[in-house]
């Protein structure tokens, strides 16, 4: 999501400057690669790059091809095959072992539903969207159908009267149910593929606590592109001067706080006030919300006392969603390392992953 917002920002700047642009999108990967389908890079005619389609290996070659696309105003698919041990013949030296297909499309500012305008619609609120991109590998240098349709909240945006459009709806509905990208080869259609991309809202982190030790966590969350709501009962602590990356700051008594907050399926909460009574009251109302992750800073004894308070008050709660003490066991010391530990745990929980060393993982790093 952060990459998309950065691309949109640069697109708007380029539009004002009158610079022509092209969008490079990874649409298919076979084998291993640094980035997965959906990775993007905006290229301007003066050579400015925003986003990335690899770890830095493909960008130089993709820049040259994107500038050709800008000049000819004709889209293409570029294939990078690194399964050959002699991948230096590409001049990129990937060190991977996969085949990466990159669609490069010229961006027409006069088209109000060009690929980036569709991305703008996709991220304008926190509801999920499905973006449809059609490409051919049989004729990769021929003009591509490209990024044409966005589905969002039962509405469609873009051009629906193009070849293969009648095949989209069934799989689109599957994406909404699975929340996973799909790439499907279209039968009997000259080797066309359809990339169904699920664009979800960024993680919404509600951080309850405005002490000095929460500042590193807010900075790291911002670096990840997460949306941040900062909440506390102390108005002299919860300020934009102290927390400039916060999207929203809520100052409230504990018993009124939860009702002032917004929740959805991608919202997580971390309690870091160092005030047991404040957190006990907040937690009482918080457990009534469907929150996939609630993290509590402090020793296990503190969390057990909070649970005991809930039980004594007859409040039912799902303990499996509460992580107290919060964080992965990485030997964290100090606010910065604790923030790293907490954010890593949140990411693992939301991705439904069991944290482990990647060297011990069986099979490829990326699944699917």
């Amino acid at each position: 999501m952060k990459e998309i917002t950065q691309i949109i920002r640069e697109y708007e700047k380029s539009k004002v400057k009158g610079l022509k642009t092209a969008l490079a999108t990874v649409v298919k990967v076979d084998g291993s690669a640094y980035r997965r389908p959906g990775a993007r890079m905006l290229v301007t005619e003066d050579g400015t790059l925003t986003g990335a389609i690899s770890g830095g290996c493909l960008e130089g070659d993709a820049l040259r091809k994107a500038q050709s696309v800008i000049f000819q105003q004709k889209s293409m698919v570029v294939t990078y095959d690194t399964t050959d041990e002699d991948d230096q013949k590409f001049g990129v030296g990937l060190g991977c072992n996969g085949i990466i297909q990159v669609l490069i499309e010229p961006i027409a500012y006069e088209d109000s539903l060009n690929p980036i305008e569709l991305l703008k619609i996709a991220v304008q609120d926190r509801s999920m969207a499905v973006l449809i991109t059609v490409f051919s590998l049989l004729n990769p240098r021929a003009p591509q159908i490209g990024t044409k349709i966005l589905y969002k909240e039962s509405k469609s945006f873009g051009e629906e009267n193009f070849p293969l459009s009648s095949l989209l709806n069934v799989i689109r509905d599957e994406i909404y149910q699975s929340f996973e990208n799909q790439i499907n080869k279209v039968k009997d259609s000259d080797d066309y593929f359809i990339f169904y991309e699920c664009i979800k809202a960024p993680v919404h982190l509600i951080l309850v606590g405005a002490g000095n030790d929460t500042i590193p966590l807010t900075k790291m969350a911002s670096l990840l592109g997460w949306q941040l709501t900062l909440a506390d009962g102390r108005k002299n602590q919860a300020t934009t001067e102290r927390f400039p990356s916060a999207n929203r700051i809520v100052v409230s008594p504990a018993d009124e706080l939860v009702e002032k907050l917004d929740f959805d399926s991608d919202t997580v909460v971390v309690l870091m006030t160092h005030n047991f009574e404040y957190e006990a009251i907040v937690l009482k109302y918080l457990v009534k919300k469907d929150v996939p992750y609630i993290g509590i800073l402090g020793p296990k004894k503190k969390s057990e006392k909070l649970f005991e308070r809930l039980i004594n008050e007859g409040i039912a709660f799902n303990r499996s969603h509460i992580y107290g003490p919060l964080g992965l066991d990485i030997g964290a010391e100090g606010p910065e390392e604790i923030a790293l530990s907490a954010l890593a745990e949140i990411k693992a929980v939301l991705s439904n992953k069991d944290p482990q060393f990647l060297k011990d993982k069986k099979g490829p790093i990326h699944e699917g």
Side-chain angles (χ1 to χ4, degrees):
M1 179 63 72
K2 183 177 181 180
E3 184 171 73
I4 292 176
T5 57
Q6 290 174 331
I7 285 173
I8 291 171
R9 190 179 305 119
E10 187 60 34
Y11 162 83
E12 296 293 352
K13 291 180 181 178
S14 299
K15 186 175 181 179
V16 171
K17 295 177 181 177
L19 292 173
K20 295 179 181 179
T21 60
L23 184 67
T25 306
V26 177
V27 290
K28 191 173 186 294
V29 172
D30 297 299
S32 64
Y34 188 82
R35 299 296 306 273
R36 307 304 295 171
R40 290 181 174 82
M41 179 175 72
L42 183 72
V43 180
T44 64
E45 61 180 311
D46 66 355
T48 300
L49 304 179
T50 304
I53 56 172
S54 74
C57 307
L58 297 179
E59 278 70 9
D61 185 75
L63 165 62
R64 291 187 290 273
K65 290 183 170 61
Q67 289 178 320
S68 174
V69 165
I70 291 172
F71 177 75
Q72 298 180 39
Q73 288 296 291
K74 187 179 73 172
S75 58
M76 69 168 70
V77 172
V78 181
T79 299
Y80 295 96
D81 185 351
T82 65
T83 58
D84 190 327
E85 291 183 1
D86 185 24
D87 65 10
Q88 291 292 338
K89 65 187 178 184
F90 291 107
V92 292
L94 288 172
C96 297
N97 189 33
I99 301 174
I100 304 120
Q101 312 286 354
V102 179
L103 170 67
I104 307 178
E105 303 172 271
I107 301 300
Y109 292 125
E110 65 273 14
D111 181 359
S112 62
L113 291 173
N114 68 46
I116 299 181
E117 293 292 342
L118 292 178
L119 288 173
K120 287 170 64 176
I121 297 170
V123 302
Q124 67 186 5
D125 58 35
R126 292 188 59 80
S127 59
M128 196 186 86
V130 176
L131 187 64
I132 307 295
T133 300
V134 183
F135 59 98
S136 170
L137 299 184
L138 184 64
N139 299 298
R141 295 305 175 97
Q144 299 291 315
I145 294 175
T147 306
K148 287 293 184 182
I149 298 181
L150 180 81
Y151 294 106
K152 187 179 181 72
E153 294 185 315
S154 302
K155 297 180 181 179
S156 62
F157 305 86
E159 180 186 342
E160 295 195 70
N161 297 318
F162 63 85
L164 315 178
S165 60
S166 61
L167 304 174
L168 302 179
N169 294 341
V170 173
I171 299 179
R172 174 202 67 192
D173 294 338
E174 291 179 4
I175 302 295
Y176 271 109
Q177 295 175 7
S178 67
F179 300 100
E180 297 293 338
N181 294 347
Q182 285 193 33
I183 302 170
N184 294 281
K185 185 178 184 297
V186 179
K187 296 180 181 178
D188 305 320
S189 61
D190 294 331
D191 205 21
Y192 276 106
F193 287 81
I194 303 178
F195 174 32
Y196 299 81
E197 181 181 2
C198 174
I199 300 179
K200 297 182 285 187
V203 175
H204 175 208
L205 170 62
I206 298 176
L207 174 58
V208 183
N212 290 339
D213 62 337
T214 64
I215 292 176
L217 190 144
T218 64
K219 291 180 178 179
M220 291 184 189
S222 176
L223 185 64
L224 292 170
W226 291 9
Q227 181 178 325
L228 173 65
T229 295
L230 181 78
D232 202 297
R234 300 165 292 178
K235 64 180 181 180
N236 63 321
Q237 293 285 90
T239 66
T240 55
E241 290 74 23
R242 284 170 51 78
F243 298 94
S245 62
N247 301 91
R248 183 187 177 201
I249 294 178
V250 179
V251 178
S252 174
D255 59 349
E256 299 176 9
L257 177 61
V258 172
E259 290 308 310
K260 295 179 180 179
L261 302 173
D262 298 318
F263 297 87
D264 60 27
S265 59
D266 295 299
T267 297
V268 298
V269 183
V270 172
L271 303 179
M272 294 181 64
T273 67
H274 300 281
N275 184 325
F276 181 87
E277 288 300 322
Y278 191 93
E279 292 185 9
I281 296 170
V282 169
L283 189 61
K284 178 173 68 173
Y285 294 98
L286 191 57
V287 295
K288 298 175 184 178
K289 301 290 184 179
D290 187 16
V291 181
Y293 177 96
I294 301 172
I296 303 172
L297 178 69
K300 182 175 291 187
K301 185 175 181 180
K302 172 189 171 182
S303 295
E304 293 297 336
K305 288 178 65 178
L306 288 169
F307 298 155
E308 184 179 348
R309 173 80 70 89
L310 293 174
I311 293 169
N312 291 339
E313 293 184 16
I315 298 173
F317 63 99
N318 186 347
R319 189 163 177 168
S320 66
H321 291 175
I322 303 177
Y323 294 76
L326 61 76
L328 300 182
D329 185 8
I330 59 172
E333 295 285 347
E336 292 79 10
E337 292 181 357
I338 291 172
L340 175 64
S341 169
L343 294 175
E345 179 178 67
I346 292 170
K347 176 59 180 174
V349 169
L350 294 181
S351 301
N352 195 28
K353 296 294 184 181
D354 182 18
Q356 61 176 307
F357 293 114
L358 284 176
K359 70 174 185 177
D360 296 330
K361 183 176 181 178
K362 306 300 182 183
I365 294 175
H366 298 289
E367 298 174 2

